[in-house]
Amino acid sequence: MCSSDALAQGVLAEAASRSLRVPDDLAVFGFGDADFAAHTHPRLSTVHVDARGIGRRAARLLLARLDGCGTAKPGHRTVDVSFSLISRDSA
């Protein structure tokens, strides 16, 4: 499991250089569902998140805080932004 699809792409390249078979010898999973993930060899399995939606939510929360609507101490708030697993050939 890699923290980004770019890092996972590097793992795929290193695995190939070491003659490791993905996913037989090594499973690789990325994060972010980058445009290139479906076009690597093997095609990269990844976690899809709505990055734009997360950005919009964060901007709304920040603007509300700046407008004084969020003057109370924020505390610990968890916001479920959801995700989906994109299963391809690498895992």
PDB file of all heavy atoms in Angstrom, residues 61-74 77:
ATOM      1  N   LEU A  61     -15.470  25.314   5.301  1.00  0.00           N
ATOM      2  CA  LEU A  61     -15.199  25.355   6.739  1.00  0.00           C
ATOM      3  C   LEU A  61     -14.282  26.522   7.092  1.00  0.00           C
ATOM      4  O   LEU A  61     -14.496  27.217   8.088  1.00  0.00           O
ATOM      5  CB  LEU A  61     -14.590  24.031   7.203  1.00  0.00           C
ATOM      6  CG  LEU A  61     -15.520  22.825   7.190  1.00  0.00           C
ATOM      7  CD1 LEU A  61     -14.726  21.538   7.435  1.00  0.00           C
ATOM      8  CD2 LEU A  61     -16.634  22.983   8.219  1.00  0.00           C
ATOM      9  N   LEU A  62     -13.264  26.742   6.277  1.00  0.00           N
ATOM     10  CA  LEU A  62     -12.341  27.851   6.516  1.00  0.00           C
ATOM     11  C   LEU A  62     -13.040  29.191   6.375  1.00  0.00           C
ATOM     12  O   LEU A  62     -12.881  30.081   7.227  1.00  0.00           O
ATOM     13  CB  LEU A  62     -11.155  27.762   5.556  1.00  0.00           C
ATOM     14  CG  LEU A  62     -10.108  28.873   5.675  1.00  0.00           C
ATOM     15  CD1 LEU A  62      -9.497  28.890   7.057  1.00  0.00           C
ATOM     16  CD2 LEU A  62      -9.038  28.694   4.615  1.00  0.00           C
ATOM     17  N   LEU A  63     -13.844  29.366   5.333  1.00  0.00           N
ATOM     18  CA  LEU A  63     -14.567  30.628   5.139  1.00  0.00           C
ATOM     19  C   LEU A  63     -15.562  30.882   6.266  1.00  0.00           C
ATOM     20  O   LEU A  63     -15.694  32.009   6.744  1.00  0.00           O
ATOM     21  CB  LEU A  63     -15.275  30.637   3.788  1.00  0.00           C
ATOM     22  CG  LEU A  63     -14.350  30.740   2.574  1.00  0.00           C
ATOM     23  CD1 LEU A  63     -15.138  30.547   1.288  1.00  0.00           C
ATOM     24  CD2 LEU A  63     -13.593  32.053   2.568  1.00  0.00           C
ATOM     25  N   ALA A  64     -16.240  29.842   6.723  1.00  0.00           N
ATOM     26  CA  ALA A  64     -17.166  29.997   7.848  1.00  0.00           C
ATOM     27  C   ALA A  64     -16.405  30.428   9.095  1.00  0.00           C
ATOM     28  O   ALA A  64     -16.860  31.304   9.844  1.00  0.00           O
ATOM     29  CB  ALA A  64     -17.915  28.694   8.098  1.00  0.00           C
ATOM     30  N   ARG A  65     -15.266  29.865   9.308  1.00  0.00           N
ATOM     31  CA  ARG A  65     -14.439  30.235  10.475  1.00  0.00           C
ATOM     32  C   ARG A  65     -13.990  31.688  10.364  1.00  0.00           C
ATOM     33  O   ARG A  65     -14.026  32.435  11.350  1.00  0.00           O
ATOM     34  CB  ARG A  65     -13.251  29.295  10.551  1.00  0.00           C
ATOM     35  CG  ARG A  65     -12.319  29.560  11.663  1.00  0.00           C
ATOM     36  CD  ARG A  65     -12.653  28.654  12.800  1.00  0.00           C
ATOM     37  NE  ARG A  65     -11.588  28.785  13.791  1.00  0.00           N
ATOM     38  CZ  ARG A  65     -11.784  28.603  15.048  1.00  0.00           C
ATOM     39  NH1 ARG A  65     -12.960  28.230  15.485  1.00  0.00           N
ATOM     40  NH2 ARG A  65     -10.801  28.747  15.893  1.00  0.00           N
ATOM     41  N   LEU A  66     -13.575  32.106   9.174  1.00  0.00           N
ATOM     42  CA  LEU A  66     -13.127  33.485   8.970  1.00  0.00           C
ATOM     43  C   LEU A  66     -14.265  34.480   9.098  1.00  0.00           C
ATOM     44  O   LEU A  66     -14.060  35.618   9.522  1.00  0.00           O
ATOM     45  CB  LEU A  66     -12.453  33.628   7.604  1.00  0.00           C
ATOM     46  CG  LEU A  66     -11.119  32.890   7.453  1.00  0.00           C
ATOM     47  CD1 LEU A  66     -10.649  32.947   6.003  1.00  0.00           C
ATOM     48  CD2 LEU A  66     -10.070  33.463   8.390  1.00  0.00           C
ATOM     49  N   ASP A  67     -15.487  34.073   8.739  1.00  0.00           N
ATOM     50  CA  ASP A  67     -16.658  34.948   8.858  1.00  0.00           C
ATOM     51  C   ASP A  67     -17.169  35.040  10.282  1.00  0.00           C
ATOM     52  O   ASP A  67     -18.128  35.756  10.548  1.00  0.00           O
ATOM     53  CB  ASP A  67     -17.791  34.444   7.950  1.00  0.00           C
ATOM     54  CG  ASP A  67     -17.553  34.783   6.492  1.00  0.00           C
ATOM     55  OD1 ASP A  67     -16.733  35.669   6.214  1.00  0.00           O
ATOM     56  OD2 ASP A  67     -18.206  34.148   5.645  1.00  0.00           O
ATOM     57  N   GLY A  68     -16.581  34.295  11.187  1.00  0.00           N
ATOM     58  CA  GLY A  68     -16.999  34.352  12.575  1.00  0.00           C
ATOM     59  C   GLY A  68     -18.063  33.351  12.935  1.00  0.00           C
ATOM     60  O   GLY A  68     -18.504  33.292  14.080  1.00  0.00           O
ATOM     61  N   CYS A  69     -18.490  32.547  11.975  1.00  0.00           N
ATOM     62  CA  CYS A  69     -19.516  31.540  12.271  1.00  0.00           C
ATOM     63  C   CYS A  69     -18.937  30.392  13.078  1.00  0.00           C
ATOM     64  O   CYS A  69     -19.675  29.629  13.684  1.00  0.00           O
ATOM     65  CB  CYS A  69     -20.118  30.985  10.978  1.00  0.00           C
ATOM     66  SG  CYS A  69     -20.993  32.230  10.024  1.00  0.00           S
ATOM     67  N   GLY A  70     -17.656  30.289  13.070  1.00  0.00           N
ATOM     68  CA  GLY A  70     -17.020  29.178  13.778  1.00  0.00           C
ATOM     69  C   GLY A  70     -16.099  29.691  14.859  1.00  0.00           C
ATOM     70  O   GLY A  70     -14.977  29.229  14.983  1.00  0.00           O
ATOM     71  N   THR A  71     -16.552  30.662  15.633  1.00  0.00           N
ATOM     72  CA  THR A  71     -15.679  31.259  16.642  1.00  0.00           C
ATOM     73  C   THR A  71     -15.459  30.345  17.832  1.00  0.00           C
ATOM     74  O   THR A  71     -14.486  30.501  18.549  1.00  0.00           O
ATOM     75  CB  THR A  71     -16.256  32.606  17.138  1.00  0.00           C
ATOM     76  OG1 THR A  71     -17.578  32.382  17.619  1.00  0.00           O
ATOM     77  CG2 THR A  71     -16.249  33.623  16.027  1.00  0.00           C
ATOM     78  N   ALA A  72     -16.368  29.409  18.061  1.00  0.00           N
ATOM     79  CA  ALA A  72     -16.174  28.478  19.161  1.00  0.00           C
ATOM     80  C   ALA A  72     -15.001  27.566  18.852  1.00  0.00           C
ATOM     81  O   ALA A  72     -14.658  27.343  17.697  1.00  0.00           O
ATOM     82  CB  ALA A  72     -17.440  27.649  19.373  1.00  0.00           C
ATOM     83  N   LYS A  73     -14.391  27.068  19.897  1.00  0.00           N
ATOM     84  CA  LYS A  73     -13.278  26.147  19.722  1.00  0.00           C
ATOM     85  C   LYS A  73     -13.746  24.948  18.895  1.00  0.00           C
ATOM     86  O   LYS A  73     -14.745  24.313  19.235  1.00  0.00           O
ATOM     87  CB  LYS A  73     -12.780  25.695  21.097  1.00  0.00           C
ATOM     88  CG  LYS A  73     -11.406  25.112  21.073  1.00  0.00           C
ATOM     89  CD  LYS A  73     -10.912  24.907  22.487  1.00  0.00           C
ATOM     90  CE  LYS A  73      -9.445  24.539  22.451  1.00  0.00           C
ATOM     91  NZ  LYS A  73      -8.907  24.427  23.788  1.00  0.00           N
ATOM     92  N   PRO A  74     -13.067  24.641  17.802  1.00  0.00           N
ATOM     93  CA  PRO A  74     -13.558  23.613  16.888  1.00  0.00           C
ATOM     94  C   PRO A  74     -13.607  22.206  17.477  1.00  0.00           C
ATOM     95  O   PRO A  74     -14.438  21.409  17.092  1.00  0.00           O
ATOM     96  CB  PRO A  74     -12.606  23.687  15.704  1.00  0.00           C
ATOM     97  CG  PRO A  74     -11.402  24.393  16.188  1.00  0.00           C
ATOM     98  CD  PRO A  74     -11.834  25.252  17.341  1.00  0.00           C
ATOM     99  N   ARG A  77     -13.468  17.164  15.118  1.00  0.00           N
ATOM    100  CA  ARG A  77     -14.577  16.865  14.236  1.00  0.00           C
ATOM    101  C   ARG A  77     -14.087  15.906  13.166  1.00  0.00           C
ATOM    102  O   ARG A  77     -13.063  16.125  12.538  1.00  0.00           O
ATOM    103  CB  ARG A  77     -15.095  18.132  13.566  1.00  0.00           C
ATOM    104  CG  ARG A  77     -16.297  17.850  12.677  1.00  0.00           C
ATOM    105  CD  ARG A  77     -16.703  18.996  11.814  1.00  0.00           C
ATOM    106  NE  ARG A  77     -16.971  20.193  12.597  1.00  0.00           N
ATOM    107  CZ  ARG A  77     -17.338  21.341  12.042  1.00  0.00           C
ATOM    108  NH1 ARG A  77     -17.478  21.439  10.745  1.00  0.00           N
ATOM    109  NH2 ARG A  77     -17.560  22.397  12.788  1.00  0.00           N
TER     110      ARG A  77
END
